[in-house]
Amino acid sequence: MIERIVESLKKLELFFGIDENFLIEFAKKARIETHEAKEIVRRRSEKCEELLFLVEGEAVGLFTNSEGRVLQIDHMVAPKLLASAVVFSDDPKYPVDVETLKKSVFLSIDRDIFVSCLMKNERFLRNYLKYVSDAFLFITDRFYEIAMKNLVQKVCSYVLKLSEEQRSDLVVMDMSKEELSREFGVTRPALSRVFLELEKMGIIEAHGRKIKIKNGRYMKDHAQLYD
Amino acid sequence: MIERIVESLKKLELFFGIDENFLIEFAKKARIETHEAKEIVRRRSEKCEELLFLVEGEAVGLFTNSEGRVLQIDHMVAPKLLASAVVFSDDPKYPVDVETLKKSVFLSIDRDIFVSCLMKNERFLRNYLKYVSDAFLFITDRFYEIAMKNLVQKVCSYVLKLSEEQRSDLVVMDMSKEELSREFGVTRPALSRVFLELEKMGIIEAHGRKIKIKNGRYMKDHAQLYD
């Protein structure tokens, strides 16, 4: 098991340039947790005195409230370090609910053990600082998108981002409309209406998860990409 | 000037337990910027290769978009370290627009100089890590509030927080309704309607910026405080 975990962790940017023996020692100090699909692994506002790694499987980070509203903040595929930008606070809490999509294996490292490893290895420390900065940028960009963009802009930004990644005007969506509506914080019918509207206007052509961009100019004007 | 700046910086948690000579050296390496009230000091998505301190005055962090929508993310009173959780990213960018409310003095320290100071002083490093964790918790809480709470819940949370801070059921609001509506991402009339409604229901009594809590139970039930 340790070998499989080390192989998985190695792929994380956090461990780039880190000696394999350091990594093995690190993994040995951790606790392993296995969860079935659709389990809630951690809840927002729970105390967070650990570093949590998703080493196998797939999970999402969610905001939920008592009225049943669900907003998907992040979609995480192993290997991935989760919500670990908060551990140095005096009152560290999980910022999101963590829920598995598939059967998943997690690795939990006690905060104090992590900190002592961090202070012993400057490369590891710099990797962690970079991880935290990137996590901060990610969350503020998600916040901006949810709070400041309307649904047409969100769809245009999303499709254009895929088009850039896939280097094509014919893109394949990396999630279902169901999941996408959770990402955007809207209902499924509202999302479908926007897709239909964009098709009627001749901006896109949609077949299931495949989308053809027909008017890239319009999409760029509406995406308001800030980068 | 250097003495005034050092006096101001000393009050920041980032410099707690840090030797004064270290602080003087640090301040000497910085660039001073003065801005009048209502000036835009930095813009969201601008490259951020500095640490920025507000040493005198008052400023806000804003999300804005091309449709004129403005959402106030943070209200900052000197001394304060601004938006500096991003500097370790490979592509560090300002997460918000920074706009002065009053005439203000800023201190800008080049990222590389800051990093080298950080790596020389473990206490300073730990303070910075704590700052970043707290900033991450702050931004995710703001995000949760804006995305997941309705306006009644936002008002109840806000008034209860004031009541806790001021240890009284008779609280004085620390901002105008105008500013509060920007904080909540709603229009001024929508906010006034909620205050009127809560008054009609006998939950609060409002006189200008003074608010008396008459039904704390109702407010707690609606605030959905997670801490």
Side-chain angles (χ1 to χ4, degrees):
Chain A
M1 192 65 182
I2 274 282
E3 292 80 31
R4 248 166 70 200
I5 287 171
V6 169
E7 279 312 304
S8 172
L9 292 181
K10 260 176 161 175
K11 295 183 196 118
L12 281 174
E13 234 188 312
L14 183 66
F15 295 111
F16 282 4
I18 302 295
D19 183 70
E20 185 149 345
N21 290 320
F22 183 88
L23 201 52
I24 293 168
E25 282 313 304
F26 186 82
K28 277 187 188 159
K29 287 172 187 146
R31 214 179 54 246
I32 294 166
E33 273 181 44
T34 306
H35 291 271
E36 296 302 316
K38 293 275 161 201
E39 272 186 42
I40 294 173
V41 178
R42 297 291 185 276
R43 279 192 189 279
R44 173 172 155 79
S45 295
E46 254 175 44
K47 227 171 168 41
C48 171
E49 290 182 318
E50 60 177 354
L51 278 269
L52 195 65
F53 296 87
L54 174 66
V55 285
E56 279 172 33
E58 210 171 318
V60 286
L62 305 173
F63 278 169
T64 57
N65 71 11
S66 54
E67 290 159 21
R69 190 164 145 70
V70 176
L71 177 64
Q72 182 169 313
I73 304 303
D74 200 359
H75 178 178
M76 302 162 288
V77 179
K80 178 103 181 166
L81 173 55
L82 311 188
S84 301
V86 303
V87 287
F88 284 96
S89 172
D90 285 339
D91 188 18
K93 290 178 209 160
Y94 273 95
V96 294
D97 296 350
V98 177
E99 195 181 310
T100 51
L101 293 179
K102 299 178 182 168
K103 184 173 174 167
S104 299
V105 179
F106 293 84
L107 201 70
S108 166
I109 285 255
D110 183 79
R111 170 167 70 158
D112 294 336
I113 295 174
F114 176 75
V115 174
S116 81
C117 289
L118 212 57
M119 295 299 172
K120 269 190 284 198
N121 189 322
E122 186 175 327
R123 179 65 198 259
F124 190 36
L125 173 63
R126 283 180 182 265
N127 287 352
Y128 174 73
L129 286 166
K130 181 173 177 327
Y131 160 82
V132 170
S133 284
D134 288 337
F136 192 88
L137 282 170
F138 173 81
I139 196 74
T140 49
D141 282 349
R142 283 290 289 143
F143 187 2
Y144 186 89
E145 203 175 277
I146 292 293
M148 304 301 285
K149 288 187 184 176
N150 64 40
L151 191 47
V152 171
Q153 292 167 333
K154 286 176 191 168
V155 169
C156 290
S157 298
Y158 170 69
V159 174
L160 281 179
K161 203 179 119 254
L162 289 179
S163 162
E164 254 174 52
E165 283 167 11
Q166 301 174 14
R167 291 163 197 269
S168 165
D169 280 352
L170 187 65
V171 303
V172 183
M173 283 166 55
D174 56 358
M175 44 184 131
S176 68
K177 288 235 177 85
E178 189 66 39
E179 203 186 337
L180 197 59
S181 62
R182 276 201 306 273
E183 275 261 338
F184 292 162
V186 299
T187 62
R188 174 81 167 73
L191 182 65
S192 291
R193 263 197 305 278
V194 166
F195 271 97
L196 274 176
E197 226 171 86
L198 290 172
E199 274 206 87
K200 256 197 265 169
M201 290 163 67
I203 312 298
I204 58 167
E205 233 175 75
H207 307 279
R209 284 202 186 197
K210 278 184 202 151
I211 291 168
K212 189 172 170 186
I213 299 173
K214 294 176 70 187
N215 186 342
R217 186 69 260 150
Y218 176 96
M219 299 201 83
K220 271 176 202 140
D221 287 347
H222 283 75
Q224 276 198 309
L225 287 175
Y226 275 76
D227 34 32
Chain B
M1 191 65 182
I2 273 284
E3 292 80 32
R4 249 165 72 199
I5 287 172
V6 168
E7 278 314 304
S8 172
L9 292 180
K10 260 176 161 176
K11 296 184 196 118
L12 281 173
E13 233 189 313
L14 182 66
F15 296 111
F16 282 4
I18 302 295
D19 183 70
E20 184 150 345
N21 291 320
F22 183 88
L23 200 53
I24 294 168
E25 282 312 303
F26 186 82
K28 276 188 190 159
K29 286 171 187 146
R31 213 178 52 247
I32 295 165
E33 273 181 46
T34 306
H35 290 269
E36 296 302 317
K38 293 278 162 198
E39 272 186 41
I40 294 171
V41 178
R42 298 291 184 274
R43 278 192 190 280
R44 175 173 153 79
S45 295
E46 254 175 45
K47 224 167 173 42
C48 171
E49 292 182 316
E50 61 176 354
L51 278 269
L52 195 64
F53 297 86
L54 175 65
V55 285
E56 281 172 29
E58 210 173 319
V60 286
L62 305 172
F63 278 170
T64 58
N65 71 10
S66 55
E67 289 159 21
R69 190 164 144 71
V70 177
L71 178 63
Q72 182 168 314
I73 304 304
D74 200 0
H75 178 177
M76 304 163 287
V77 178
K80 178 104 181 165
L81 173 56
L82 311 187
S84 299
V86 303
V87 288
F88 284 96
S89 171
D90 285 340
D91 189 17
K93 287 177 211 161
Y94 272 95
V96 293
D97 296 349
V98 176
E99 195 180 308
T100 51
L101 293 179
K102 298 180 183 168
K103 184 172 176 169
S104 299
V105 178
F106 293 85
L107 201 71
S108 165
I109 283 255
D110 183 78
R111 168 165 73 157
D112 295 335
I113 294 173
F114 176 75
V115 174
S116 81
C117 290
L118 212 58
M119 294 299 171
K120 270 187 283 194
N121 189 322
E122 187 175 327
R123 177 66 198 258
F124 190 36
L125 174 63
R126 283 181 182 266
N127 286 353
Y128 175 73
L129 286 166
K130 178 171 179 329
Y131 161 81
V132 170
S133 284
D134 288 336
F136 193 87
L137 283 169
F138 172 81
I139 196 75
T140 50
D141 282 349
R142 281 291 288 143
F143 187 2
Y144 184 89
E145 203 176 276
I146 291 292
M148 304 300 285
K149 288 187 183 173
N150 63 38
L151 191 48
V152 172
Q153 292 167 332
K154 285 175 193 170
V155 169
C156 290
S157 300
Y158 170 69
V159 173
L160 282 178
K161 204 178 119 254
L162 289 181
S163 162
E164 254 175 50
E165 285 167 7
Q166 301 174 14
R167 293 162 194 270
S168 166
D169 279 354
L170 186 67
V171 303
V172 182
M173 284 167 53
D174 57 358
M175 46 184 128
S176 67
K177 289 235 178 85
E178 188 66 40
E179 204 187 335
L180 198 58
S181 62
R182 277 201 305 274
E183 274 260 339
F184 292 163
V186 299
T187 62
R188 174 80 169 73
L191 181 65
S192 291
R193 262 195 307 277
V194 167
F195 271 97
L196 273 176
E197 227 170 87
L198 290 171
E199 274 207 85
K200 256 197 268 171
M201 292 162 67
I203 312 299
I204 58 168
E205 232 177 75
H207 305 280
R209 286 201 184 195
K210 278 185 202 149
I211 292 168
K212 189 173 173 185
I213 299 174
K214 294 176 68 185
N215 186 340
R217 186 69 260 149
Y218 176 96
M219 297 202 84
K220 271 179 200 136
D221 287 347
H222 283 76
Q224 278 197 307
L225 286 176
Y226 276 77
D227 35 31

